Amino acid sequence: MKKTTYIHLAMDNAFLSKGFESVIHSLDPQIDTSVIESFEDLSNYTFSSDFKNILIFDYCIHKNENALLLRKLLKNYPKLKVAILVDSFNYEKIKTLFNTGIVCVIDSKINADDFAVFVTKVSQGEKFISPTIKQQIIDQFCKKESNESFSEVQLNVAESINYSGEVFSLTKREREVLHLICDGKNTKEISEELYISTHTAETHRRHLLGKLDVRNTAQMVKKAIVNRLIPVS
């Protein structure tokens, strides 16, 4: 029987990758696997169009650059199904990663039965979150607002905006320009408010269109709101 599913394991922990390979092959011998042992190898990796490709990416490999790498991979391989392996829970980062295009978040506590469900769902084009993380998301969502002070809420929003900006590789100035664009400011008004030339303001606008992969201002504003690149009142 021809193999149709290929699971790629991007993780530098040999013990962990062997464990995942063992579970995968016990589930279905027809699923092929490969181990990508370093961040550099993953950045130069080629995914064959002959298979359904699932990438399980250990998000701890290179925390400073992996979000940008994922965005590049998903742009180059739109049919690639990316599952993130995390070691700790962060509600805002998980939400942002799903907005970026991943389909699954799991942790090392996932058992074989849940892993089988993950493989089946992702292969069928569905999304999946491992039970332990799903429970943490529920707990976070249902947490009473009175348990958080106003300053804590502000901090959470700021962290979300900063992280989202990192995902799209936005500079501090580009974030300022984006915020003003979303406020309805035109190029001249932006240049006056930021004390920059209209040429520079227009250059920032063009860069934002490219980095957010949109064609016009309306799409830019929509993407900024959906991905929480700006504070929303």
Side-chain angles (χ1 to χ4, degrees):
M1 183 181 295
K2 183 181 178 181
K3 295 181 179 181
T4 59
T5 301
Y6 211 114
I7 298 182
H8 312 265
L9 305 168
M11 47 190 69
D12 57 2
N13 185 318
F15 180 78
L16 193 59
S17 61
K18 286 294 182 183
F20 273 109
E21 281 189 300
S22 177
V23 172
I24 292 167
H25 293 151
S26 68
L27 293 175
D28 186 349
Q30 294 302 318
I31 296 178
D32 213 341
T33 61
S34 67
V35 178
I36 308 168
E37 296 181 346
S38 73
F39 182 88
E40 289 73 21
D41 289 341
L42 178 58
S43 63
N44 298 309
Y45 199 75
T46 301
F47 296 90
S48 172
S49 59
D50 296 332
F51 302 95
K52 287 182 180 178
N53 292 288
I54 299 174
L55 170 66
I56 301 179
F57 180 34
D58 184 352
Y59 209 62
C60 302
I61 290 179
H62 203 299
K63 291 185 177 182
N64 293 329
E65 298 179 24
N66 48 23
L68 298 177
L69 173 61
L70 283 178
R71 194 164 164 263
K72 180 181 177 181
L73 285 175
L74 288 166
K75 186 173 183 178
N76 293 338
Y77 301 97
K79 293 184 178 180
L80 176 65
K81 309 297 183 183
V82 179
I84 300 297
L85 176 66
V86 298
D87 62 348
S88 60
F89 172 77
N90 184 300
Y91 180 83
E92 294 297 345
K93 287 187 178 182
I94 288 174
K95 184 176 179 180
T96 300
L97 285 168
F98 270 108
N99 284 334
T100 301
I102 72 165
V103 297
C104 173
V105 175
I106 59 177
D107 58 9
S108 57
K109 297 177 182 178
I110 190 170
N111 60 42
D113 290 339
D114 290 327
F115 191 86
V117 174
F118 145 65
V119 173
T120 299
K121 283 185 174 292
V122 171
S123 297
Q124 294 174 348
E126 300 179 42
K127 292 182 171 61
F128 180 84
I129 300 176
S130 64
T132 52
I133 295 177
K134 185 180 291 185
Q135 184 58 53
Q136 288 175 306
I137 290 174
I138 292 171
D139 292 343
Q140 177 77 16
F141 183 79
C142 296
K143 185 167 62 173
K144 293 181 180 179
E145 292 185 2
S146 59
N147 290 339
E148 285 187 319
S149 66
F150 181 71
S151 60
E152 287 175 327
V153 173
Q154 284 184 313
L155 180 60
N156 290 338
V157 171
E159 288 178 347
S160 175
I161 293 169
N162 288 337
Y163 183 74
S164 299
E166 290 172 10
V167 169
F168 289 95
S169 190
L170 302 185
T171 66
K172 180 180 179 181
R173 179 63 87 188
E174 286 169 345
R175 295 185 207 184
E176 291 173 343
V177 172
L178 178 60
H179 191 290
L180 293 173
I181 289 173
C182 292
D183 277 346
K185 306 286 187 182
N186 60 33
T187 300
K188 185 175 184 298
E189 290 170 328
I190 292 171
S191 69
E192 291 174 351
E193 184 150 346
L194 297 180
Y195 301 101
I196 57 178
S197 68
T198 55
H199 173 74
T200 300
E202 188 57 37
T203 299
H204 286 311
R205 183 188 290 270
R206 288 199 306 272
H207 288 169
L208 285 166
L209 288 170
K211 288 186 176 183
L212 298 183
D213 194 23
V214 294
R215 296 190 299 273
N216 52 52
T217 300
Q219 291 180 347
M220 185 194 301
V221 172
K222 180 179 179 181
K223 196 154 193 175
I225 293 172
V226 169
N227 289 280
R228 300 192 69 172
L229 293 168
I230 59 170
V232 180
S233 57

